[in-house]
Amino acid sequence: MSREIRRTMPLLSMSIVMQLTELSARQIRYYEEHHLIEPHRTDGNRRMFSLNDVDILLEIKDYLEQGMNMAKIKRIFAKKSDQSVQNEIDLSDTELRRVMREEMKQAQRMQKSSIRQGDLSRFY
Amino acid sequence: MSREIRRTMPLLSMSIVMQLTELSARQIRYYEEHHLIEPHRTDGNRRMFSLNDVDILLEIKDYLEQGMNMAKIKRIFAKKSDQSVQNEIDLSDTELRRVMREEMKQAQRMQKSSIRQGDLSRFY
DNA sequence: AATACCATGTTATATAACCTTACATCTCCG
DNA sequence: CGGAGATGTAAGGTTATATAACATGGTATT
């Protein structure tokens, strides 16, 4: 649960993600355009990526190198997200809402960056 | 050993580190001036911080809040680094050199960002 | 109390990094 | 050949960060 938060914290700038993935900015923006990732934006409109985003980009890159096209890749991710939706509805409705509220509060706190002393160990 | 590498990879920009630590840019640069951290620089001269840097900054912040001054804090870190030097010489001289060569090669590869597919899981 | 120093804030000026938009190019497929 | 998909590239504008210099508030020293 809190693992999910670490993975989705927007920590990384465009240039670092380009290095980590060896994709061009153009490519990364293009995949965003196709809703495969949805990086956070700073007040100044800069994209900020999470480790999760990088994972997805690496996966995309892998698929591309295997010769798939966007359409196919989009279908793969759509399917996956279906499955995780399926997992979610295995929780009771009220339980799910409770969990999500918790996650969102946490995420907000993260975004506002009021991280308590020593908490950094949770990121790795 | 490779844990050390993850922790020292320069991934984070100034603004993110400011958020994570709740320190001002001025403060962070000042602590660098005093050699408590030594962030990497991009080709364009921007600082790039590692998770390790953030940890150190949080520690500094903690000490400051306890009322210590720079001189004291510097001494604390100097002592620590002495201890880790002590740990290192517990290895044989040749062994140590071998390990360091490995680490540096790895770090270089990281810096050049030629990370193989799927390797990202190592960051967290 | 006056002085001096430490830590931080603030401002000015320069430039790197990023943004969007538009157009160009290349490859593959029918 | 013609068109669509994926990426490159260039223009023009904005944000984030750099350094340097000076300002300021708090503490300690004499």
Side-chain angles (χ1 to χ4, degrees):
Chain A
M1 206 130 325
S2 89
R3 171 163 197 86
E4 203 50 37
I5 288 160
R6 285 175 257 165
R7 287 177 47 82
T8 59
M9 266 192 75
L11 292 175
L12 308 175
S13 64
M14 176 59 88
S15 51
I16 283 293
V17 173
M18 291 172 61
Q19 288 179 219
L20 292 175
T21 62
E22 293 182 306
L23 294 168
S24 69
R26 183 69 168 90
Q27 285 177 297
I28 294 169
R29 295 192 191 111
Y30 185 71
Y31 306 148
E32 177 186 9
E33 215 168 290
H34 285 263
H35 304 98
L36 296 177
I37 54 173
E38 315 222 339
H40 181 257
R41 297 297 184 115
T42 66
D43 292 344
N45 200 33
R46 266 77 201 289
R47 289 173 182 81
M48 292 301 291
F49 302 85
S50 67
L51 290 167
N52 202 41
D53 291 327
V54 177
D55 262 354
I56 294 173
L57 289 171
L58 287 172
E59 201 175 335
I60 294 172
K61 194 185 174 192
D62 194 27
Y63 292 146
L64 286 174
E65 280 164 3
Q66 291 176 37
M68 297 188 199
N69 61 12
M70 274 293 103
K72 175 81 182 177
I73 294 173
K74 277 166 103 166
R75 258 176 279 128
I76 290 178
F77 280 104
K79 201 164 193 175
K80 271 200 204 180
S81 109
D82 270 2
Q83 283 172 325
S84 62
V85 166
Q86 191 55 43
N87 288 342
E88 276 170 22
I89 60 182
D90 288 348
L91 297 171
S92 84
D93 231 44
T94 46
E95 176 66 4
L96 177 62
R97 269 197 292 273
R98 198 190 58 71
V99 169
M100 288 185 63
R101 260 202 315 276
E102 265 325 297
E103 293 252 1
M104 294 200 50
K105 275 200 298 198
Q106 276 284 349
Q108 269 192 324
R109 246 173 276 151
M110 282 292 159
Q111 196 41 42
K112 289 187 188 147
S113 76
S114 56
I115 298 166
R116 282 211 330 285
Q117 207 75 32
D119 263 5
L120 191 73
S121 60
R122 305 197 328 201
F123 305 153
Y124 52 95
Chain B
M1 207 130 322
S2 90
R3 172 161 197 87
E4 202 50 37
I5 288 160
R6 283 175 256 165
R7 287 176 48 81
T8 59
M9 266 193 74
L11 292 175
L12 309 174
S13 65
M14 175 59 88
S15 51
I16 285 293
V17 172
M18 290 172 61
Q19 287 179 221
L20 292 176
T21 62
E22 293 183 304
L23 294 168
S24 69
R26 183 69 169 90
Q27 286 178 294
I28 294 169
R29 294 191 193 112
Y30 184 70
Y31 305 148
E32 178 186 8
E33 215 169 291
H34 284 265
H35 304 98
L36 295 176
I37 54 174
E38 314 222 338
H40 180 258
R41 297 296 185 115
T42 67
D43 291 344
N45 199 34
R46 269 78 210 287
R47 289 172 181 81
M48 292 301 291
F49 301 85
S50 67
L51 290 168
N52 200 42
D53 290 328
V54 178
D55 262 354
I56 293 174
L57 289 171
L58 287 172
E59 202 175 334
I60 294 171
K61 194 186 175 192
D62 194 27
Y63 292 146
L64 287 172
E65 280 164 4
Q66 291 176 36
M68 297 188 198
N69 62 12
M70 274 292 104
K72 175 83 182 176
I73 293 173
K74 277 167 103 166
R75 258 177 277 128
I76 290 178
F77 280 104
K79 201 165 193 176
K80 272 200 204 180
S81 110
D82 269 3
Q83 282 172 324
S84 62
V85 166
Q86 189 56 42
N87 288 341
E88 276 170 22
I89 60 182
D90 288 348
L91 297 171
S92 83
D93 231 42
T94 47
E95 176 65 6
L96 177 61
R97 269 197 292 274
R98 199 190 58 72
V99 169
M100 288 185 63
R101 260 202 314 277
E102 263 327 296
E103 292 253 1
M104 294 200 51
K105 275 200 298 198
Q106 277 284 350
Q108 269 192 323
R109 246 174 276 152
M110 282 292 158
Q111 195 41 42
K112 288 186 190 149
S113 76
S114 56
I115 298 167
R116 283 211 329 287
Q117 207 75 31
D119 263 6
L120 191 73
S121 60
R122 304 198 327 201
F123 305 152
Y124 53 94

